[in-house]
Amino acid sequence: MTLRTEIKDGVALVTLDRPERHNAIDLDTAAELAAAWRAFRFDDSVRAAVVTGAGGRAFSSGLDRSVDVPQPPSPYSLDDPLLRTGPKANDLWKPVIAAVDGMACGGAFYLLGEAEFLIASENSTFFDPHTTYGMVSAYESIHMAQRMPYGEIARLALMGTAERLGAPRAYEIGLVSELTAPGTAAEVALRRAAVLAAQPTEPVQGTVRALWAAKEAARTQALAQAPQLIALGNLPPDRQAGLFAARRRHGGQEGGREGAREDGRNSGRDDGRDDGRDGGLDDGPPVR
């Protein structure tokens, strides 16, 4: 199992459990996430949830680079295993808090985009490597554009691996609702989730649905364009592979961090590959 779920006092703790891969999401993990959210719909013992990553170095680095996702030949179709990994995509309207310790990048934004709010340790960072490796940041940018000022998500998405958004700045712009000491984001999120779980669940779920409805129309229309933007804008696979292979190295570590898959049709979620190196927590561009 690559996903751990624990339920206590009305709160489900969902933990991505692939720390050796920076909690990158492979096909098994994607299926387990979708199954967990669907199961919570029918489980009256769950009234709120927290989603986090194991190991303290990463929430998630997105889609695992080793995953092979066969794509249909039509530019109007795109098979994306991350589209069903979030709670809203699985029709779960119980509140979900994302607890971020370490880095969150690329396909991690699918989960962050469908959480009610984010709690992050003060040493956490957010970034999006798509453009650096010749890929369109479509779904990821659309998710985060619902949570961040336009200029901030534009800077994050367009500058690729050259940009790091630190948790303090993420708190200033409203992406993160609460900062914690390193390693304590999940602990704090569980306390907040306990408060949510103590409220009557029907009105809580109705409020979650109302809040989501406030932004859903624009989001739905934007997401409908994503497959075509990806098909038209992604570089061919060999050029993507060349960009990833030529990534800069700093001090023997991987300067490009978790790059995107070398599949010309995928939307470039991040890979979780660290090649035995740090994976982008200790070097790279300055964090703002």
Side-chain angles (χ1 to χ4, degrees):
M1 299 289 286
T2 58
L3 192 76
R4 288 188 281 114
T5 58
E6 307 164 56
I7 301 172
K8 182 179 179 181
D9 298 330
V11 176
L13 175 61
V14 178
T15 305
L16 298 167
D17 194 14
R18 304 185 75 213
E20 74 286 353
R21 300 287 290 175
H22 294 325
N23 300 314
I25 300 171
D26 61 7
L27 296 184
D28 288 341
T29 309
E32 290 173 26
L33 277 166
W37 301 131
R38 289 196 300 269
F40 294 161
R41 295 170 60 211
F42 297 94
D43 190 343
D44 288 340
S45 71
V46 176
R47 298 186 294 279
V50 171
V51 60
T52 192
R57 297 177 66 203
F59 172 81
S60 174
S61 57
L63 186 66
D64 194 306
R65 180 178 170 77
S66 66
V67 170
D68 180 26
V69 185
Q71 296 294 335
S74 171
Y76 300 99
S77 300
L78 177 71
D79 288 341
D80 185 336
L82 298 188
L83 285 176
R84 302 295 296 178
T85 55
K88 308 302 184 297
N90 289 281
D91 200 36
L92 178 70
W93 301 103
K94 298 175 182 181
V96 176
I97 302 171
V100 178
D101 266 316
M103 69 176 173
C105 60
F109 294 171
Y110 285 69
L111 285 170
L112 300 185
E114 292 196 11
E116 268 51 73
F117 54 91
L118 278 58
I119 293 175
S121 60
E122 59 194 11
N123 62 332
S124 296
T125 57
F126 303 83
F127 65 99
D128 188 345
H130 286 67
T131 56
T132 297
Y133 301 125
M135 301 181 191
V136 174
S137 176
Y139 290 106
E140 296 82 358
S141 291
I142 291 168
H143 277 293
M144 298 303 271
Q146 307 294 311
R147 313 196 73 106
M148 301 168 64
Y150 177 84
E152 295 289 340
I153 182 55
R155 176 171 173 166
L156 197 68
L158 294 172
M159 294 184 69
T161 60
E163 183 72 3
R164 295 290 187 277
L165 178 67
R169 177 60 179 163
Y171 176 75
E172 290 176 359
I173 65 175
L175 173 61
V176 169
S177 69
E178 185 174 359
L179 293 177
T180 77
T184 64
E187 176 186 340
V188 173
L190 286 170
R191 293 203 296 268
R192 305 298 174 253
V195 175
L196 299 178
Q199 314 301 323
T201 187
E202 291 85 356
V204 167
Q205 292 186 54
T207 302
V208 169
R209 191 66 186 87
L211 290 168
W212 192 253
K215 63 179 182 179
E216 192 168 31
R219 175 181 173 276
T220 299
Q221 292 183 33
L223 289 174
Q225 300 182 50
Q228 290 74 44
L229 295 173
I230 293 164
L232 291 170
N234 277 13
L235 295 182
D238 58 339
R239 292 184 63 189
Q240 293 179 29
L243 289 170
F244 188 80
R247 63 197 183 278
R248 294 179 58 196
R249 308 214 174 231
H250 299 274
Q253 295 178 331
E254 179 178 302
R257 302 326 156 277
E258 320 321 292
R261 287 181 55 232
E262 295 160 12
D263 179 343
R265 295 295 311 286
N266 91 86
S267 71
R269 266 71 57 201
D270 203 63
D271 64 334
R273 178 175 180 174
D274 64 3
D275 295 332
R277 300 178 178 86
D278 172 72
L281 295 179
D282 297 329
D283 66 344
V287 176
R288 65 180 176 96

